[in-house]
Amino acid sequence: MTEFEYNECVNNHADGLFRFIVKNLRHEEDARDIVQSSFEKLWKNRDQVEAGKSKSYLFTVGYNQMIDHIRKNKRVHLQDTFEEQTGIQYQQHSGIKKTLMEALNRLNETQKSLVMLKDYEGYSYEEIGKIMSLSESQVKVYLHRARLTLKSYLVSAENIL
């Protein structure tokens, strides 16, 4: 990978990687640190990484660093005041968005990551398998189970708007 290709990779994939990490961690500064260290690792290994596979490499490194960070800091219970603490300006939350976020937060780390990679970032099953070190069939099964969990929560009587 050349310096130009690396810079193109930064321009094309930094926002997507940040969105993926911050949606899972719900902590903006930690997400920035993980994104920066992912690009640093890509720079150090640019001779071994093909330009066409840089996105997959970045998300794999970012995902692994995110999991390490979660394990290290044991951030199991997330605070409800995330938006206020980080200064991110979001549109006013509607009841639907709040319900969707509550449903996503009920999923375990793996299921949430799968949903985020597939439905928010648009990765294929094969790409998700490479990022998360799972077989394509495992990705399909885990994603199906995650969606069933989401569906059962979203169609429950107390969550119907």
Side-chain angles (χ1 to χ4, degrees):
M1 170 180 279
T2 65
E3 185 176 335
F4 176 78
E5 291 170 330
Y6 174 82
N7 289 333
E8 285 294 312
C9 181
V10 170
N11 292 335
N12 293 334
H13 306 303
D15 290 339
L17 181 60
F18 176 76
R19 280 192 315 270
F20 170 67
I21 300 296
V22 81
K23 283 271 190 188
N24 282 289
L25 287 183
R26 298 189 63 152
H27 193 269
E28 188 176 326
E29 292 302 317
D30 290 344
R32 283 188 181 134
D33 291 343
I34 290 172
V35 170
Q36 183 175 357
S37 62
S38 298
F39 277 104
E40 179 182 358
K41 196 170 211 175
L42 175 63
W43 178 254
K44 288 179 180 176
N45 296 317
R46 68 187 180 279
D47 295 332
Q48 291 85 25
V49 178
E50 295 177 29
K53 296 184 179 184
S54 61
K55 183 178 180 182
S56 178
Y57 179 86
L58 274 173
F59 274 80
T60 301
V61 169
Y63 173 78
N64 290 331
Q65 288 182 354
M66 178 185 68
I67 294 301
D68 291 344
H69 177 81
I70 289 170
R71 288 178 182 153
K72 180 179 175 188
N73 293 311
K74 297 183 184 347
R75 290 185 180 198
V76 177
H77 298 293
L78 302 175
Q79 297 179 358
D80 292 334
T81 58
F82 168 70
E83 292 85 11
E84 296 170 4
Q85 291 178 349
T86 61
I88 296 176
Q89 298 297 321
Y90 288 103
Q91 294 177 351
Q92 189 173 16
H93 290 258
S94 66
I96 295 170
K97 185 173 183 176
K98 182 179 177 188
T99 303
L100 284 173
M101 290 309 296
E102 288 173 5
L104 277 173
N105 289 332
R106 290 182 174 274
L107 300 175
N108 65 38
E109 290 175 22
T110 303
Q111 290 176 328
K112 187 174 181 181
S113 294
L114 286 169
V115 170
M116 300 298 287
L117 286 170
K118 182 66 177 160
D119 297 331
Y120 281 86
E121 298 297 328
Y123 279 98
S124 69
Y125 295 117
E126 181 182 357
E127 290 172 319
I128 295 170
K130 288 178 184 175
I131 291 169
M132 297 184 65
S133 301
L134 298 171
S135 71
E136 193 172 330
S137 60
Q138 285 176 310
V139 170
K140 290 177 182 179
V141 169
Y142 294 165
L143 188 59
H144 176 72
R145 290 177 184 163
R147 287 176 175 162
L148 287 178
T149 302
L150 289 173
K151 179 181 175 183
S152 67
Y153 178 78
L154 292 172
V155 298
S156 62
E158 64 270 8
N159 294 318
I160 296 178
L161 301 176

